[in-house]
Amino acid sequence: MKEIMEWVKDILLAVVIAAVILAFFKPIIDYLITSRQAYRLFGDPQRGDVIVFKSELLDENEKPKNLIKRIIALPGETIEIKGGEVYIDGQMLQEDYLPGEAISGEMDAVTVPEGQLFVMGDNRECSEDSRSPRVGTIEQSTIVGKVIVRLYPFNTIKTFKGVDYES
């Protein structure tokens, strides 16, 4: 019986500590299911795919950080941002998946080198992505996987399918 009481005490203490932490901090954690074989077995990366890739940014342990971004421009394409809108080869990109209005800022035209991709986060105002010199265009070889499903947070569970930019 004493052992059970110790377990209950430990569990209650953990719950209280978790409640206090959550009252003051909001952990930002997404649980994603990614396909590591998507591009090996089912074709090349496509515009609109959400991917996880190893960046040159370092985490707190000095290891390369994995980033989650959406592919915006493919090798050989020219990307430009004018008036807060993204243009690929002179055509404005329709991005219905974005949570808000157009992004602010401008970016001169950049042609994506062969073997590389231009990626951007969907939360454009605070995303460190290919627009940043710290990230730049990414090597396709750095892709860890294609995001298929977000499982957590529960209120944002969703699947990630290809985006039809031609519509």
Side-chain angles (χ1 to χ4, degrees), residues 11 13 22 25 37-38 45 49-50 74 77 88 93-94 103 111 141 143 146 157 163:
I11 290 171
L13 180 62
L22 290 174
F25 302 99
Q37 302 301 320
D49 289 353
V50 177
L74 301 169
E77 293 180 332
I88 305 293
L93 196 58
Q94 299 298 320
I103 58 176
T111 300
S141 62
I143 296 175
K146 177 181 178 181
I157 291 175
V163 177

Side-chain angles (χ1 to χ4, degrees), residues 115-154:
Q116 298 192 18
L117 302 166
F118 191 99
V119 297
M120 294 172 77
D122 286 356
N123 189 356
R124 301 279 167 85
E125 290 299 320
C126 62
S127 178
E128 189 157 21
D129 50 36
S130 290
R131 296 172 292 170
S132 163
R134 290 176 19 118
V135 176
T137 57
I138 67 157
E139 294 282 342
Q140 289 185 40
S141 62
T142 64
I143 296 175
V144 173
K146 177 181 178 181
V147 177
I148 306 298
V149 176
R150 178 175 49 216
L151 295 175
Y152 185 84
F154 296 125

Side-chain angles (χ1 to χ4, degrees), residues 27-47:
I28 305 295
I29 300 173
D30 282 347
Y31 288 99
L32 306 169
I33 294 178
T34 61
S35 171
R36 291 181 179 267
Q37 302 301 320
Y39 301 123
R40 289 185 187 98
L41 301 175
F42 304 113
D44 295 328
Q46 300 297 309
R47 183 182 356 277

Side-chain angles (χ1 to χ4, degrees), residues 23-121:
F24 296 101
F25 302 99
K26 181 179 186 216
I28 305 295
I29 300 173
D30 282 347
Y31 288 99
L32 306 169
I33 294 178
T34 61
S35 171
R36 291 181 179 267
Q37 302 301 320
Y39 301 123
R40 289 185 187 98
L41 301 175
F42 304 113
D44 295 328
Q46 300 297 309
R47 183 182 356 277
D49 289 353
V50 177
I51 60 171
V52 176
F53 64 95
K54 287 207 176 296
S55 73
E56 293 183 10
L57 302 177
L58 302 178
D59 65 16
E60 61 278 354
N61 297 320
E62 300 297 316
K63 293 185 179 175
K65 236 181 184 179
N66 283 343
L67 297 180
I68 304 163
K69 305 294 175 195
R70 187 178 298 271
I71 299 172
I72 302 299
L74 301 169
E77 293 180 332
T78 300
I79 181 169
E80 179 177 19
I81 300 174
K82 299 186 286 191
E85 299 291 346
V86 176
Y87 291 82
I88 305 293
D89 294 335
Q91 298 292 315
M92 188 172 83
L93 196 58
Q94 299 298 320
E95 299 182 283
D96 299 334
Y97 46 80
L98 292 178
E101 298 296 318
I103 58 176
S104 60
E106 307 279 320
M107 185 185 85
D108 291 337
V110 173
T111 300
V112 180
E114 286 303 315
Q116 298 192 18
L117 302 166
F118 191 99
V119 297
M120 294 172 77

